[in-house]
Amino acid sequence: MSNLSVNHLLGIKYITKNDIELILETAKSFKEVINRPIKKVPSLRDLTVANLFFENSTRTRLSFELAQKRLSADVVNFSAASSSVKKGETLIDTVNNILAMKVDMVVMRHSSAGAAEFLSRKVKSKIVNAGDGAHEHPTQALLDAFSMQEKIGDLKGKKIAIVGDILHSRVALSNIFCLQKLGAEVKVCGPITLIPKYIESLGVKVETDLRKTLEWCDVANMLRIQLERQDIKFFPSIREYTMLYGLDKTLLDSLSKKILIMHPGPINRGVEITSEVADCSQSIILDQVENGVAIRMAVMFLLAGRQ
Ligand code: CP
């Protein structure tokens, strides 16, 4: 199959296993392109893309922009903090004004769950969800799967742990959908107050003991505590969280096998993982960032209908 089954990338929930495999396979070719001396191809030179970031971002925003430039697309960047949103303009008015300038594709990050889906119903452009509230972050899950496959091969039957603030994490939900579609087993681990009650209904195992989780898994994806999405206290203190759920080198080295360590970033060094773990040979955190460009090139190339 050489086409995606969807017109927009709104979430991993809405795409098929074939779609995921097509994106991962296409990203392999683009990874080769971005490692050549001339890192650019003309594939999207007739396309204009708007990057609309209503919420802060470093990795996602930069890698989408780099991916667009590597594909020779024309790019416009919009950041809510320096826009007329500050004067009260609505999302739909903002987007319609940008689209009046003839934009073919919109990459959007927004703090509200469902914002990308809402937009896809209102405008004709292709929409790529770059993270919507605590809902989905599909390109993060795709780059995570790609990075795991590079290191441990086919994910069918592999054991993947997602550790930390599952409740507020769009990375967790997109990873769960993606890994399960690829045949992996998923376990979430964290304080019970940070694990949504519905999670077991998705076929995910739940564990509150970090050591048991790490002994079980092949890969541990360590998530950040998202204090910006917490208006009440979910655990007594950061210090206690780190004592129970922080990963340090002593714990990592004491495990009976070598596991891979991932983190979507931004890292709170010394909270969910120590610097020694983030920078050790088992960590693939910077591979994830590198692969983000190839994955985003593949997503935009396929959504634009190129083969
Ligand atoms: N992983 C991720 O989404 O990072 P940013 O918030 O910096 O884009």
Side-chain angles (χ1 to χ4, degrees):
M1 186 157 157
S2 57
N3 282 112
L4 295 177
S5 67
V6 289
N7 290 321
H8 311 281
L9 181 63
L10 304 177
I12 301 291
K13 185 176 180 181
Y14 315 108
I15 64 174
T16 63
K17 182 180 182 209
N18 278 341
D19 291 329
I20 296 171
E21 287 174 343
L22 177 60
I23 294 167
L24 299 180
E25 204 50 45
T26 308
K28 277 188 199 161
S29 314
F30 284 127
K31 182 155 184 183
E32 194 220 298
V33 168
I34 58 180
N35 280 295
R36 287 184 202 153
I38 296 172
K39 302 173 172 58
K40 208 162 168 157
V41 285
S43 315
L44 297 187
R45 75 176 157 205
D46 54 335
L47 201 91
T48 304
V49 189
N51 296 315
L52 310 188
F53 279 74
F54 292 84
E55 204 186 53
N56 294 345
S57 168
T58 298
R59 281 145 291 272
T60 312
R61 189 169 58 83
L62 288 180
S63 72
F64 264 112
E65 188 177 343
L66 206 51
Q68 289 145 7
K69 289 180 172 167
R70 299 282 188 246
L71 291 166
S72 307
D74 289 323
V75 183
V76 284
N77 289 308
F78 165 93
S79 158
S82 56
S83 75
S84 292
V85 169
K86 291 279 166 208
K87 301 175 199 163
E89 194 165 31
T90 64
L91 169 62
I92 199 69
D93 281 342
T94 303
V95 172
N96 277 331
N97 276 275
I98 292 166
L99 295 181
M101 300 176 213
K102 305 285 177 237
V103 169
D104 305 295
M105 190 178 287
V106 173
V107 174
M108 187 172 77
R109 169 166 291 189
H110 202 281
S111 55
S112 298
E117 196 270 337
F118 170 77
L119 204 59
S120 72
R121 285 188 276 113
K122 301 282 176 193
V123 301
K124 287 200 171 64
S125 311
K126 309 268 182 186
I127 309 296
V128 185
N129 181 5
D132 61 329
H135 179 223
E136 281 231 32
H137 191 352
T139 55
Q140 180 71 44
L142 291 163
L143 74 88
D144 288 345
F146 186 92
S147 305
M148 286 182 231
Q149 280 185 347
E150 273 189 333
K151 300 292 177 192
I152 59 172
D154 189 354
L155 297 184
K156 193 167 171 29
K158 296 290 183 340
K159 296 185 166 89
I160 318 297
I162 307 175
V163 180
D165 183 357
I166 313 299
L167 185 65
H168 300 99
S169 175
R170 53 195 173 211
V171 174
L173 198 57
S174 288
N175 258 271
I176 289 167
F177 291 136
C178 189
L179 292 165
Q180 289 185 331
K181 286 181 185 189
L182 294 173
E185 271 185 72
V186 184
K187 183 175 279 189
V188 296
C189 172
I192 205 69
T193 49
L194 288 178
I195 296 179
K197 291 192 176 32
Y198 67 81
I199 207 90
E200 279 171 300
S201 70
L202 299 179
V204 171
K205 298 186 176 74
V206 174
E207 176 57 76
T208 52
D209 185 296
L210 180 61
R211 173 178 283 283
K212 280 189 195 159
T213 303
L214 297 175
E215 283 291 0
W216 170 86
C217 70
D218 301 303
V219 181
N221 197 348
M222 306 298 294
L223 304 182
R224 180 175 68 91
I225 294 290
Q226 301 202 25
L227 290 174
E228 73 275 21
R229 297 194 207 282
Q230 300 181 17
D231 44 13
I232 57 166
K233 270 184 169 267
F234 287 85
F235 50 88
S237 67
I238 290 282
R239 190 156 169 265
E240 185 180 302
Y241 177 84
T242 301
M243 277 170 58
L244 292 172
Y245 294 102
L247 176 57
D248 63 16
K249 199 69 171 43
T250 309
L251 175 55
L252 187 63
D253 289 344
S254 72
L255 301 176
S256 55
K257 62 179 176 189
K258 282 210 178 303
I259 60 169
L260 286 182
I261 302 301
M262 301 178 70
H263 194 304
I267 303 173
N268 286 140
R269 287 175 183 257
V271 178
E272 61 271 8
I273 51 173
T274 60
S275 280
E276 234 189 329
V277 172
D279 303 330
C280 78
S281 59
Q282 285 162 257
S283 159
I284 61 165
I285 294 171
L286 290 179
D287 299 85
Q288 292 172 260
V289 178
E290 180 185 347
N291 291 332
V293 178
I295 282 291
R296 287 166 178 134
M297 286 171 83
V299 165
M300 291 185 287
F301 175 84
L302 292 166
L303 281 179
R306 312 296 151 91
Q307 291 172 20

